[in-house]
Amino acid sequence: ISRREAALADGTADENPETAADFERLVASNPNSSEVWIKFMAFHLSLADIDSARNVANRAFDRIEFRQEGEKLNVWTALLTLELKYGTDKSLQETIDRASQHNNPKQVYLRVCEMLDKAVEAASSSVGSGDLEATTKRADDMFKNMCKKFKSKK
């Protein structure tokens, strides 16, 4: 307890947050930092609390100033990654649709395609992966969808 009190007193508790209260203090002091919000999401994921991580992302969208588009896009990317790894196809598509309403839709789809491309690379490099075919199909479908949506844009 005394070590924790000392860390709080000298300000080093914010360097390595260990509890939800530490993260709450960080986001209160720096609400426009996507890095802090994403670390807070990762904290909840480390506890296998996916719904809380989603809630943190939604809080970030409300708290980050509207002028900070890049910061918000970073949080959207983290949420899309969360849905890709832990969500369903439906939840991923709903998140893509929501992200496209609040950001440049082409940028959102490009980021999702990049994530899916990395997932295909990871599946192809792992030995005995039966998910390669499904992952490749998912990536191909998303890429075709993106090309169809943005065929007039370069």
Side-chain angles (χ1 to χ4, degrees):
I1 294 176
S2 64
R3 190 180 75 208
R4 183 75 182 135
E5 288 175 347
L8 286 169
D10 66 12
T12 58
D14 290 345
E15 293 172 11
N16 285 324
E18 298 173 358
T19 66
D22 291 346
F23 281 103
E24 291 292 347
R25 198 171 34 262
L26 273 176
V27 297
S29 67
N30 197 356
N32 292 323
S33 171
S34 60
E35 181 181 1
V36 173
W37 287 105
I38 292 168
K39 285 181 180 179
F40 197 3
M41 290 173 67
F43 168 75
H44 284 294
L45 288 176
S46 72
L47 301 174
D49 192 355
I50 297 167
D51 288 333
S52 291
R54 286 183 181 117
N55 290 337
V56 167
N58 289 321
R59 281 182 50 209
F61 302 137
D62 293 336
R63 296 278 308 276
I64 296 174
E65 290 181 10
F66 70 92
R67 290 182 217 92
Q68 304 287 329
E69 293 174 11
E71 297 294 318
K72 283 192 175 192
L73 185 57
N74 291 341
V75 178
W76 278 111
T77 302
L79 183 59
L80 288 165
T81 302
L82 181 148
E83 294 299 342
L84 183 65
K85 288 186 177 183
Y86 304 108
T88 62
D89 285 342
K90 182 181 177 191
S91 68
L92 176 63
Q93 189 57 51
E94 288 171 355
T95 305
I96 291 170
D97 293 342
R98 278 182 55 214
S100 295
Q101 290 173 355
H102 298 280
N103 299 283
N104 178 340
K106 186 175 179 182
Q107 289 298 316
V108 172
Y109 275 89
L110 283 171
R111 289 196 179 198
V112 172
C113 285
E114 285 175 20
M115 288 180 229
L116 289 168
D117 184 46
K118 289 178 183 173
V120 168
E121 287 177 18
S124 66
S125 66
S126 59
V127 179
S129 175
D131 287 343
L132 178 59
E133 204 170 301
T135 306
T136 303
K137 182 181 178 346
R138 190 179 193 187
D140 286 345
D141 290 346
M142 183 61 67
F143 185 73
K144 286 175 188 173
N145 188 9
M146 183 182 81
C147 289
K148 191 166 44 173
K149 279 185 182 270
F150 304 107
K151 63 183 171 192
S152 65
K153 299 178 182 176
K154 291 186 178 185

